[in-house]
Amino acid sequence: GNSVTQMEGPVTLSEEAFLTINCTYTATGYPSLFWYVQYPGEGLQLLLKATKADDKGSNKGFEATYRKETTSFHLEKGSVQVSDSAVYFCALSDRTGGFKTIFGAGTRLFVKA
Amino acid sequence: DTGVSQDPRHKITKRGQNVTFRCDPISEHNRLYWYRQTLGQGPEFLTYFQNEAQLEKSRLLSDRFSAERPKGSFSTLEIQRTEQGDSAMYLCASSSIGQGGINEQYFGPGTRLTVT
């Protein structure tokens, strides 16, 4: 079945550092890929998405590129801020799975001032 | 558009009691999903509806769980004879299948259940 694996956290960075959170997936079909973010005390928010190979999703300075050859969708940001501290979830959804979303376990990010 | 809403936000109940949660999706969305999230984990799929039809149920959804979406609008999730292992955040999401078959789901704030 479909699955998502993402790097374990927590990840602790200083402000303005470069961020990478690795995500790889297994899917039988051609999934759409997502990154969701969950800020402390808040619900899940869609951060960015990509729907086909080589697409790049971007939002709020975050980027991720859909790499079919490596089945990866790594999240990157060039310069993190304290306000980026949150839990980040990689996820996929495809037609063969009824479009339900399969999530990774989440990666907690702490950004220090 | 007020987004997806869930009620209650928090529920504390004693083991063995029944609880019911409600989800109001975004009005034009025909798909509605329930997920469960335990501490330190990603959300796990429970079930989903297209309009009023329940199309899939996870094996996580034991016979103590039942979900309905009677008129294709709001949905309820009921847990009978709650157990301590049911303690979790229950998330609802809604979507409509967009161009190219993209299923962008919008999540509610969740209902946190604590079973004592």
Side-chain angles (χ1 to χ4, degrees):
Chain A
N2 294 348
S3 66
V4 175
T5 303
Q6 60 182 107
M7 65 187 284
E8 290 188 19
V11 174
T12 302
L13 296 173
S14 297
E15 208 165 22
E16 299 184 3
F18 184 86
L19 168 71
T20 300
I21 300 178
N22 291 337
C23 170
T24 57
Y25 68 90
T26 302
T28 53
Y30 298 93
S32 297
L33 301 175
F34 306 88
W35 277 99
Y36 284 85
V37 59
Q38 191 169 36
Y39 297 103
E42 298 186 15
L44 278 168
Q45 301 175 27
L46 179 65
L47 180 61
L48 55 84
K49 66 185 178 189
T51 59
K52 61 183 186 298
D54 300 325
D55 266 3
K56 177 184 283 189
S58 61
N59 186 25
K60 299 181 181 180
F62 291 89
E63 293 183 340
T65 301
Y66 190 143
R67 301 285 188 200
K68 195 170 189 305
E69 64 276 12
T70 55
T71 61
S72 65
F73 192 55
H74 305 322
L75 182 68
E76 296 182 336
K77 187 175 186 183
S79 176
V80 294
Q81 305 300 311
V82 172
S83 57
D84 294 326
S85 297
V87 181
Y88 293 82
F89 294 94
C90 185
L92 68 80
S93 170
D94 77 353
R95 185 180 302 274
T96 61
F99 290 110
K100 62 181 176 285
T101 304
I102 306 298
F103 289 86
T107 302
R108 182 173 294 278
L109 171 67
F110 292 103
V111 180
K112 303 179 298 184
Chain B
D1 180 0
T2 56
V4 179
S5 61
Q6 293 186 245
D7 183 69
R9 296 289 304 274
H10 303 274
K11 179 70 177 178
I12 300 173
T13 191
K14 293 186 176 179
R15 189 176 52 192
Q17 298 295 303
N18 299 343
V19 295
T20 301
F21 310 141
R22 177 180 170 123
C23 171
D24 286 89
I26 294 171
S27 58
E28 62 268 27
H29 285 177
N30 62 350
R31 285 183 173 235
L32 187 148
Y33 298 77
W34 286 99
Y35 295 85
R36 182 173 69 187
Q37 185 178 19
T38 53
L39 202 62
Q41 297 298 316
E44 297 173 294
F45 168 77
L46 293 178
T47 188
Y48 87 94
F49 294 83
Q50 180 160 312
N51 301 313
E52 65 276 9
Q54 188 173 17
L55 296 186
E56 185 175 347
K57 294 193 291 187
S58 163
R59 64 180 183 278
L60 293 174
L61 214 66
S62 75
D63 57 5
R64 296 185 298 105
F65 288 70
S66 62
E68 294 183 341
R69 194 183 184 197
K71 297 182 180 178
S73 57
F74 73 92
S75 176
T76 58
L77 177 68
E78 181 182 15
I79 309 174
Q80 296 183 328
R81 305 181 303 282
T82 52
E83 301 172 356
Q84 288 188 320
D86 298 331
S87 296
M89 178 75 85
Y90 290 84
L91 298 170
C92 175
S94 71
S95 72
S96 59
I97 303 301
Q99 188 176 8
I102 302 164
N103 186 33
E104 185 174 323
Q105 296 182 15
Y106 294 81
F107 282 81
T111 294
R112 181 168 297 284
L113 173 66
T114 302
V115 182
T116 62

